[in-house]
Amino acid sequence: MWILLGIIVAIAVFALMTYNRLVALRQRVGQAFADIDVQLKQRHDLIPNLIETVKGYAAHERGTLDDVIKARNAAMSAQGPGQVAAAENMLSGALGKLIALSEAYPDLKANANFQQLQSELSDIENKIAASRRFFNNAVQEYNTGIQQMPAALFAAPLGFTHKDYFDLGETRTQVEQVPQVKF
């Protein structure tokens, strides 16, 4: 009788410890995504100033400016890692075109405000890359945790499901390049 009771208590304690570990891993994934969100918000806040600066020098580049605004709005309304990653990839491409405009407009390229905004954008891009790495590491640990035995036996019934990575998709090579800042 005591042996059976001891086995039941040991199983219950082990299940409780495993459940708590999975909850901690899931919370870490949430925190990591929130860190990315903070960096993306800073980038979104910087874009209107960048557009206004460029607009003063390259007013007839309306298409490029509209593309950046559309991409920013899409990125701000995206939900979840998959949608956010896709929208941010689109925004990165549009921002690249906006920054490339400076090559055609020497006065814009020499503008101190544009240079400062470009420098801030470069800094934010580096922080986003670091946050993305932290998030993907947290997702890897979480996904491993729910797939390992014995947690795999009860992870899905308790609501622990697979999380997606912050995948860059086809634009990976563009985003991984260090932004070029020329003064």
Side-chain angles (χ1 to χ4, degrees):
M1 175 73 175
W2 288 108
I3 293 175
L4 181 62
L5 185 61
I7 291 172
I8 290 172
V9 168
I11 290 173
V13 168
F14 183 75
L16 184 65
M17 290 173 50
T18 303
Y19 177 80
N20 287 341
R21 181 176 169 269
L22 293 178
V23 168
L25 290 172
R26 183 169 55 194
Q27 291 299 320
R28 187 169 175 207
V29 170
Q31 177 208 356
F33 190 71
D35 289 346
I36 290 175
D37 200 40
V38 167
Q39 301 302 324
L40 295 177
K41 173 85 170 86
Q42 285 181 345
R43 179 162 80 165
H44 297 163
D45 292 345
L46 181 68
I47 290 171
N49 292 335
L50 190 60
I51 287 176
E52 286 302 315
T53 302
V54 172
K55 198 184 286 183
Y57 290 91
H60 61 281
E61 300 285 353
R62 192 77 206 154
T64 302
L65 299 176
D66 288 344
D67 288 347
V68 173
I69 292 169
K70 285 180 193 171
R72 177 183 179 260
N73 291 340
M76 290 179 68
S77 64
Q79 300 291 318
Q83 266 189 0
V84 170
E88 291 299 329
N89 290 338
M90 211 169 76
L91 180 58
S92 293
L95 280 174
K97 291 177 185 172
L98 183 69
I99 297 300
L101 281 180
S102 67
E103 296 298 324
Y105 299 93
D107 290 342
L108 171 63
K109 191 175 178 180
N111 179 284
N113 191 27
F114 181 76
Q115 290 175 355
Q116 179 187 352
L117 291 170
Q118 198 174 21
S119 176
E120 288 178 32
L121 185 62
S122 176
D123 185 47
I124 290 172
E125 294 294 335
N126 288 334
K127 289 178 182 174
I128 290 171
S131 295
R132 195 174 44 241
R133 282 191 300 272
F134 179 72
F135 173 78
N136 285 339
N137 185 45
V139 168
Q140 183 268 329
E141 287 180 23
Y142 171 81
N143 286 340
T144 300
I146 65 170
Q147 293 173 355
Q148 289 178 331
M149 291 300 278
L153 298 175
F154 57 88
L158 293 176
F160 295 96
T161 58
H162 176 82
K163 302 280 186 192
D164 292 329
Y165 290 100
F166 198 97
D167 188 20
L168 297 177
E170 296 175 3
T171 59
R172 176 181 301 277
T173 54
Q174 291 175 338
V175 175
E176 288 181 345
Q177 290 179 349
V178 177
Q180 296 289 322
V181 180
K182 297 177 181 176
F183 297 104

